[in-house]
Amino acid sequence: MNIQSNTYTYIYSTVIVLIVATGLAVVASALKPAQNKNVEIEKKQNILTSLHVVSDAGNAEKLYSEFITDSYTLNSKGEKVTGVDPFTINLRAEMKKKPSARNLPAFEAKKGDSTFVVIPVYGKGLWGPIWGYVSFRKEAQVQEGIPHYNTIYGVMFDHKGETPGLGAEINQPFFQNHFNGKKVFNDQGKFVSVQVVKGGADPSSPYQVDAISGGTITSKGLQAMLDSCLVTYQNYFKSNN
């Protein structure tokens, strides 16, 4: 074949593209199990972080097995749903459904003599998705009409592309620590969530935290995320009395 011809150039280019594409597909397929494992470990680390359990990639699975005692999927009535693995639920897809149709993951934990539940949350920031985990400690005694799962024990938030130094600060301890001890039901047992207040939250309020300075839209997105995700669990919280 004439190597100076257009036909040769076309065939040569096609063969090279096929070889490279096949090689990339083989490599991607070979790495997929490792990638999935890394995602699983990171998710377990995030759940542990909301429980104030420090972990790394090497001990996350061991600690997860040690602290997480049960996990299940709920519906909006607070009933357990069978046949749906809570660990693999795609929250982004669930948030596109009506609240009454969502599958709601829940992870129970034990630390010492205390029982906790960890709730995953997913929402929208300024530049992309934001997500996180919120843990609640089960109170042994509460005022009548108030759910035992009402007080936030810890949170973990993260983002895909918020502005460094501004909205991206939602994944920093100085912001996340503000949520510790906040409540999502008021004294009348009504769900109120936690308000992320621009310009300074009332330090005596159990329902408010300071917004990120200069990250107003991300802060509003975070509050909307908490509202829209946690409200679907209120029947579950109330059923645990």
Side-chain angles (χ1 to χ4, degrees):
M1 180 179 292
N2 181 3
I3 62 174
Q4 302 299 323
S5 66
N6 290 336
T7 301
Y8 176 83
T9 301
Y10 175 77
I11 293 175
Y12 180 84
S13 300
T14 301
V15 170
I16 292 298
V17 168
L18 288 174
I19 291 174
V20 172
T22 302
L24 290 174
V26 170
V27 170
S29 179
L31 293 177
K32 190 65 176 175
Q35 291 172 338
N36 290 340
K37 190 64 179 179
N38 288 338
V39 170
E40 177 187 331
I41 290 174
E42 182 181 18
K43 189 171 183 177
K44 289 179 176 178
Q45 284 187 266
N46 292 340
I47 292 173
L48 291 169
T49 297
S50 75
L51 292 163
H52 303 302
V53 175
V54 178
S55 66
D56 56 39
N59 63 13
E61 291 192 285
K62 177 178 178 297
L63 291 172
Y64 183 88
S65 298
E66 181 179 339
F67 287 99
I68 303 301
T69 56
D70 197 6
S71 62
Y72 38 81
T73 300
L74 303 162
N75 60 25
S76 62
K77 297 179 181 177
E79 304 165 333
K80 292 185 178 179
V81 177
T82 58
V84 182
D85 181 2
F87 198 84
T88 59
I89 288 176
N90 183 334
L91 283 185
R92 180 180 182 182
E94 294 299 325
M95 293 303 293
K96 294 179 181 177
K97 302 178 182 177
K98 294 179 180 178
S100 60
R102 293 175 191 165
N103 289 310
L104 309 174
F107 303 88
E108 283 191 5
K110 289 280 283 186
K111 281 181 71 179
D113 294 331
S114 297
T115 300
F116 304 83
V117 66
V118 180
I119 303 300
V121 291
Y122 185 92
K124 188 176 181 181
L126 173 59
W127 301 112
I130 56 177
W131 59 89
Y133 294 87
V134 183
S135 70
F136 294 85
R137 186 206 300 265
K138 188 171 186 177
E139 302 295 339
Q141 294 183 333
V142 294
Q143 177 186 330
E144 185 177 354
I146 307 299
H148 285 242
Y149 283 129
N150 183 27
T151 305
I152 293 176
Y153 179 69
V155 301
M156 171 273 157
F157 299 129
D158 211 343
H159 63 92
K160 184 176 182 179
E162 299 307 293
T163 308
L166 300 175
E169 299 294 287
I170 63 170
N171 64 6
Q172 295 301 307
F174 82 86
F175 175 68
Q176 298 179 3
N177 289 343
H178 290 315
F179 288 82
N180 300 345
K182 298 299 179 183
K183 299 180 184 299
V184 296
F185 290 89
N186 65 16
D187 291 341
Q188 288 73 49
K190 180 182 178 183
F191 177 80
V192 294
S193 191
V194 178
Q195 291 86 51
V196 185
V197 181
K198 180 183 178 182
D202 178 355
S204 66
S205 172
Y207 316 110
Q208 295 183 356
V209 299
D210 288 332
I212 293 287
S213 180
T216 302
I217 296 178
T218 306
S219 297
K220 288 182 177 178
L222 191 141
Q223 178 176 322
M225 174 177 74
L226 294 176
D227 290 347
S228 60
C229 291
L230 295 180
V231 71
T232 55
Y233 286 86
Q234 59 178 324
N235 287 326
Y236 166 73
F237 290 151
K238 291 178 178 177
S239 69
N240 273 279
N241 287 347

